Amino acid sequence: MKASRVVTGPPSAGSVLRPQLAGSDFVHACQATTRRDGRSALQAYRDMAATIPGWFDGLMSLRNHGMRLLGMKHLGSLRAVQDIVDPVPGQRLGIFTLQSLDDDVIVLEDDDRHLRVQLALQWQGDVLEVATVVHTHNAFGRAYMLPVAPVHRLIVPHLLKKQVQLYR
């Protein structure tokens, strides 16, 4: 099977994050057809984290340093997804906290006083969808998303494309 191109748009009708869309301030999703070959959603998340380029992790490091100066939490590295065999909701997996997990879907979240970010990687047959929904809580959260949103729209499809190329 030849991996398809990455398609960007709203979360699919079957997306686990569809109920979270109401009142959201940022929504982004992309999908690609690839060979699932028995991969779980958790494996897809780990594989995506492994494809994050060093330069982007460098940007994350700058973000962490700058936000720490403003009294914000240090999120850590996007690539540092712990190799926990059977993670349970509430555990950290990289920069996110696991909310729910089954073979087809992983939902991760980071929620603080400024914004709530939810990320889902979801298999629907041989289609892998990555969906993000953000609810901002205040002006700082909205300002924070101004540079983050366009970078997110560029990097996530790039990561998904790299990932499905590896799955060929």
Side-chain angles (χ1 to χ4, degrees), residues 115-136:
L115 48 83
R116 178 181 184 209
V117 178
Q118 291 178 291
L119 172 71
L121 277 78
Q122 182 170 0
W123 287 105
Q124 296 175 58
D126 279 338
V127 175
L128 180 58
E129 177 176 69
V130 181
T132 306
V133 176
V134 178
H135 290 86
T136 59

Side-chain angles (χ1 to χ4, degrees), residues 19-27 133-136:
Q20 305 302 320
L21 298 181
S24 61
D25 299 290
F26 175 80
V27 175
V133 176
V134 178
H135 290 86
T136 59

Side-chain angles (χ1 to χ4, degrees), residues 11-12 19 22 48 53 55 57 67 71 77 83 85 87 99 101 106 112 131 133 135 139 143 148 151:
S12 67
M48 180 168 275
W55 65 263
D57 232 17
M67 291 298 108
S77 168
D83 193 20
V85 176
Q99 296 301 303
L101 175 66
I106 184 169
D112 61 29
V133 176
H135 290 86
V148 169
V151 172

Side-chain angles (χ1 to χ4, degrees), residues 59-133:
L59 287 177
M60 193 67 186
S61 179
L62 288 173
R63 174 254 174 241
N64 287 330
H65 180 71
M67 291 298 108
R68 182 175 267 167
L69 294 174
L70 295 172
M72 301 294 297
K73 66 181 169 185
H74 186 291
L75 291 175
S77 168
L78 287 165
R79 291 190 286 184
V81 175
Q82 299 85 337
D83 193 20
I84 300 167
V85 176
D86 292 313
V88 295
Q91 285 183 306
R92 288 294 276 187
L93 291 175
I95 68 168
F96 295 104
T97 300
L98 179 63
Q99 296 301 303
S100 63
L101 175 66
D102 66 33
D103 202 44
D104 295 329
V105 184
I106 184 169
V107 178
L108 302 134
E109 178 178 282
D110 188 56
D111 192 5
D112 61 29
R113 66 181 185 235
H114 303 293
L115 48 83
R116 178 181 184 209
V117 178
Q118 291 178 291
L119 172 71
L121 277 78
Q122 182 170 0
W123 287 105
Q124 296 175 58
D126 279 338
V127 175
L128 180 58
E129 177 176 69
V130 181
T132 306
V133 176

Side-chain angles (χ1 to χ4, degrees), residues 1-9 29-35 126-130 156-165 168:
M1 169 190 290
K2 182 179 178 187
S4 73
R5 63 185 173 85
V6 173
V7 177
T8 299
C30 49
Q31 303 87 22
T33 301
T34 188
R35 288 194 312 249
D126 279 338
V127 175
L128 180 58
E129 177 176 69
V130 181
V156 173
H158 171 76
L159 293 175
L160 183 57
K161 181 179 178 181
K162 282 179 62 176
Q163 184 171 358
V164 299
Q165 287 172 343
R168 287 188 199 177

